[in-house]
Amino acid sequence: MNNMARLVYRNLRANLDKASLFFELIFPLFFIFVQGAAVSGIVPPFEIGNGKVVSYALFLAGGAVTLTVINGGTNAGTQLWFDRRHGMFEQILMGPFTRAQYIFSIIITTLIIGMAGSSLVFLFALPVLSGISITAQAALLTGLALFLGTVFFGAFAISLSVALKSSESFQIISAVTFFIFLFTSSVFFPIDRAPNYIQAVSLLNPLTYTTDIFRAGLFDAPTPLLPLEMTVLAVEAAVMFTIAVFAFRRIKV
Amino acid sequence: MNVIEVEGLSKHYGDKKAIDDISFSVKKGEVFGFLGPNGAGKTTAIKVLTTLIPPTSGNVRILGHDLRKDAKHIRSRIGVVQQQESFDPGISVEVSMNLYGLLWDVPKDVRAKRIEALLKQFGLYEVKKTGDADLSMGQRRRLQVAREFLHDMDLLFLDEPTVGLDSLARRAALDFLKEKVKQGMTIFFTTHILEEAEYLCDRIAVINYGKIITIDTPQNLKRKFGQSKSVDFTLLEGSSSDLVRSVEHLDEVSKIAQDASDGAYHIMTSKPEVVIPMLYQLAEKLNLHISSIYIAEPTLEDAFIKIVQEVKA
């Protein structure tokens, strides 16, 4: 096994809190099966692009899968905090690894958690998503959305955990910022029908693009803006990853 | 062959000189002690030598490799037990040993054998299923030391490895280290417990304010800096201020003090053979009775305190 694979395996085995993972899985399912089902009765089906009309339950199911991306991101920051708090960060860096390998291992671990979590939520949501046909283009678009979204939020959480002085402040601030990301994105409602100020904020929000690209793939509903949305998300992910690498290099040991 | 070669090494944090132009070398198979008071620069030195932080200036070669150019190669051949705790709280002792061995790419069958042997050696076999977070501080420390021996290495850095260990565990750990040294391992060792340094180290560097004050064998340090011996005695009568006054005036005596806990007197002198007969004469004259008396050799602690105090002065 090479260095990276060993580090990723170690991260998965040592740093994952099973209770948190369970909650992160239940959380999106709650939205799909409770909120989606309940609100569908009062919100009529609506068009999401390419002439596709979906129920609110279906719409929310797509958003709930991308919710796991943000949860996966929190995990990246928590892993780094765990290692710093318990002295394993320094211990690993005094072993046969480089800093770059360590940070990449956290990102890859986050991707595995994010993708596995999304797939699980997707599988559980299949009863709601019946009638969806998964084409190669759909798989590509949904996969790309989850990948870029996880990279952005993983890198964001790493940068936060480097900048903040205590694990308590990391938990609070990450919860608050992720809450803002969530409610200024298209996860819960079609953003083009939201008030102007929310629409303005959503243009910067990578979760909006993650969710839009994911839905475009899932429901075969690409809009003319899709290439632009993919580009913006890729750029945001790349910029945030670069920030995370620089922040990580500044960690004092 | 020198395993560590350090020339003019400095590490500055802004204006603060954590390490200030130190030079030394460590031979293969040697146990090299690094002693100093809190904040002297010991841990910073270990962080630099283990490539965790870059030096400000100076040349360092570890196992023949340049610290700046071959850091990764150096790290693959060293082991480090940090001063701070390091453990994975969410997993058991056995799993954490296994993961650590995996990190070092130790083959599965070798890993299994070594884990079993080390768990027994360090008294952790009974708690192998216990979570790291549920261990006592001493058990966690033992785990931290034990797991480092899962992988092969040529040089081991130990930064106060026995902190939190009881005396039995400490002695067992030190004996294990001695055995490893016999097999060819080189050890760079810092501790606050000077008996440990004396028991284990071939040579000792005393560091303070980031500078190395002296480097020598424990025996030579005691000879050079622990010149005064202590004549320890007790009186049947308990104490006598007259005797203390008389002893204080003797030219051969540098200091006399009474231990409040057991009432014993300690006379610091470089000539105990002269002081003891005079002490008996004085006691007889004052009608006092010496119930016990012996000469205590200078300890490494005496020498260490003198070295550090001389620098302060």
Side-chain angles (χ1 to χ4, degrees):
Chain A
M1 233 195 278
N2 70 19
N3 277 6
M4 190 70 78
R6 297 200 307 272
L7 277 172
V8 170
Y9 179 77
R10 180 258 163 198
N11 293 344
L12 285 169
R13 193 78 178 78
N15 276 346
L16 293 184
D17 178 24
K18 292 180 185 70
S20 303
L21 283 180
F22 179 72
F23 179 74
E24 284 164 17
L25 192 63
I26 290 295
F27 194 52
L29 292 176
F30 183 83
F31 282 115
I32 293 171
F33 290 104
V34 180
Q35 189 186 344
V39 178
S40 277
I42 54 169
V43 176
F46 52 91
E47 194 196 327
I48 56 164
N50 199 25
K52 292 280 172 183
V53 175
V54 295
S55 67
Y56 182 73
L58 266 181
F59 176 84
L60 188 62
V65 175
T66 60
L67 197 61
T68 54
V69 158
I70 215 165
N71 291 333
T74 317
N75 258 310
T78 309
Q79 282 176 66
L80 182 55
W81 254 111
F82 257 61
D83 280 348
R84 288 176 70 192
R85 184 174 180 175
H86 299 292
M88 287 306 292
F89 174 67
E90 288 87 349
Q91 192 69 50
I92 288 169
L93 293 187
M94 288 188 286
F97 306 101
T98 61
R99 279 194 178 217
Q101 284 173 337
Y102 178 81
I103 190 169
F104 273 110
S105 79
I106 288 192
I107 293 286
I108 291 170
T109 309
T110 307
L111 275 170
I112 292 170
I113 297 165
M115 301 296 251
S118 305
S119 305
L120 269 177
V121 171
F122 185 79
L123 282 176
F124 281 118
L126 272 180
V128 176
L129 296 167
S130 58
I132 300 292
S133 57
I134 305 292
T135 61
Q137 186 192 341
L140 193 70
L141 281 176
T142 52
L144 182 75
L146 295 176
F147 174 80
L148 291 175
T150 308
V151 170
F152 178 89
F153 286 103
F156 179 78
I158 287 172
S159 308
L160 258 190
S161 86
V162 173
L164 299 172
K165 301 287 179 200
S166 73
S167 60
E168 290 77 14
S169 50
F170 168 72
Q171 296 295 345
I172 292 166
I173 292 176
S174 64
V176 170
T177 49
F178 285 173
F179 194 75
I180 294 167
F181 276 125
L182 210 53
F183 283 94
T184 58
S185 72
S186 51
V187 166
F188 295 123
F189 44 81
I191 207 73
D192 55 352
R193 295 174 203 192
N196 286 344
Y197 66 91
I198 296 180
Q199 285 192 40
V201 178
S202 77
L203 289 176
L204 291 170
N205 188 344
L207 193 58
T208 304
Y209 303 116
T210 305
T211 312
D212 287 353
I213 297 166
F214 185 83
R215 282 203 188 104
L218 189 67
F219 301 123
D220 189 23
T223 64
L225 288 174
L226 187 63
L228 179 66
E229 288 190 305
M230 287 161 67
T231 308
V232 173
L233 183 58
V235 169
E236 285 186 328
V239 169
M240 188 46 73
F241 184 75
T242 309
I243 291 171
V245 170
F246 275 102
F248 182 78
R249 287 171 66 176
R250 291 185 57 211
I251 294 179
K252 283 185 180 167
V253 286
Chain B
M1 180 203 162
N2 286 334
V3 169
I4 303 177
E5 287 174 330
V6 175
E7 280 177 31
L9 175 66
S10 294
K11 177 67 188 175
H12 301 170
Y13 294 104
D15 293 338
K16 188 178 177 264
K17 293 176 179 177
I19 303 175
D20 189 10
D21 192 22
I22 63 173
S23 301
F24 62 92
S25 60
V26 179
K27 293 187 202 87
K28 183 173 167 40
E30 187 176 22
V31 182
F32 188 81
F34 220 52
L35 301 188
N38 291 332
K42 304 185 294 292
T43 297
T44 306
I46 283 198
K47 283 182 176 177
V48 172
L49 298 179
T50 56
T51 78
L52 193 60
I53 54 174
T56 305
S57 61
N59 295 316
V60 180
R61 292 187 80 78
I62 307 283
L63 299 165
H65 297 277
D66 188 291
L67 188 82
R68 285 190 174 91
K69 292 177 188 161
D70 292 326
K72 198 178 170 197
H73 190 91
I74 290 169
R75 286 200 299 273
S76 70
R77 295 305 309 162
I78 63 172
V80 188
V81 176
Q82 305 177 77
Q83 184 180 357
Q84 71 174 110
E85 278 196 320
S86 73
F87 63 101
D88 288 315
I91 51 179
S92 69
V93 169
E94 197 175 31
V95 174
S96 116
M97 290 280 277
N98 190 39
L99 276 183
Y100 199 74
L102 179 80
L103 278 179
W104 280 92
D105 208 14
V106 180
K108 196 176 177 183
D109 52 336
V110 178
R111 213 156 69 213
K113 281 181 195 161
R114 288 184 185 172
I115 287 171
E116 176 144 349
L118 287 166
L119 286 176
K120 286 176 181 164
Q121 171 70 40
F122 283 86
L124 294 165
Y125 197 79
E126 307 304 319
V127 292
K128 66 178 180 178
K129 301 286 182 199
T130 307
D132 286 5
D134 298 324
L135 297 175
S136 69
M137 189 189 161
Q139 286 170 327
R140 272 208 292 268
R141 196 65 177 160
R142 274 185 272 159
L143 171 62
Q144 202 177 335
V145 178
R147 71 177 181 201
E148 213 52 47
F149 291 97
L150 278 168
H151 64 95
D152 298 321
M153 64 193 132
D154 298 314
L155 171 62
L156 176 61
F157 290 89
L158 297 165
D159 196 357
E160 300 185 22
T162 58
V163 169
L165 298 189
D166 60 49
S167 45
L168 282 175
R170 182 183 300 157
R171 178 52 71 96
L174 293 179
D175 287 342
F176 183 75
L177 293 174
K178 273 196 163 182
E179 199 52 44
K180 288 288 171 188
V181 172
K182 275 186 198 162
Q183 292 165 18
M185 186 181 284
T186 309
I187 294 180
F188 187 96
F189 183 79
T190 79
T191 181
H192 277 306
I193 304 163
L194 296 163
E195 292 90 343
E196 251 177 36
E198 195 168 356
Y199 184 71
L200 197 65
C201 297
D202 299 308
R203 284 189 307 144
I204 288 170
V206 179
I207 180 170
N208 201 10
Y209 301 115
K211 281 185 174 293
I212 288 180
I213 304 162
T214 182
I215 302 176
D216 216 324
T217 63
Q219 293 73 23
N220 284 346
L221 287 177
K222 284 193 290 185
R223 258 198 296 274
K224 278 194 225 167
F225 296 96
Q227 288 158 346
S228 293
K229 294 182 180 180
S230 174
V231 174
D232 299 348
F233 69 97
T234 51
L235 293 174
L236 270 182
E237 291 77 10
S239 57
S240 165
S241 51
D242 290 339
L243 181 71
V244 170
R245 269 194 297 274
S246 304
V247 170
E248 273 174 344
H249 286 108
L250 298 176
D251 291 339
E252 294 79 5
V253 170
S254 55
K255 187 182 170 189
I256 178 167
Q258 190 176 21
D259 193 327
S261 61
D262 60 3
Y265 285 101
H266 306 284
I267 298 173
M268 300 309 293
T269 175
S270 56
K271 292 181 179 171
E273 70 282 3
V274 177
V275 170
I276 290 173
M278 292 167 93
L279 185 63
Y280 271 102
Q281 283 171 16
L282 284 169
E284 196 175 341
K285 196 170 149 188
L286 294 166
N287 201 25
L288 296 166
H289 301 87
I290 294 171
S291 57
S292 72
I293 187 164
Y294 67 94
I295 303 168
E297 289 294 319
T299 62
L300 187 60
E301 187 168 351
D302 297 328
F304 174 75
I305 289 168
K306 187 155 188 236
I307 294 165
V308 172
Q309 281 177 343
E310 272 181 10
V311 171
K312 272 186 184 170

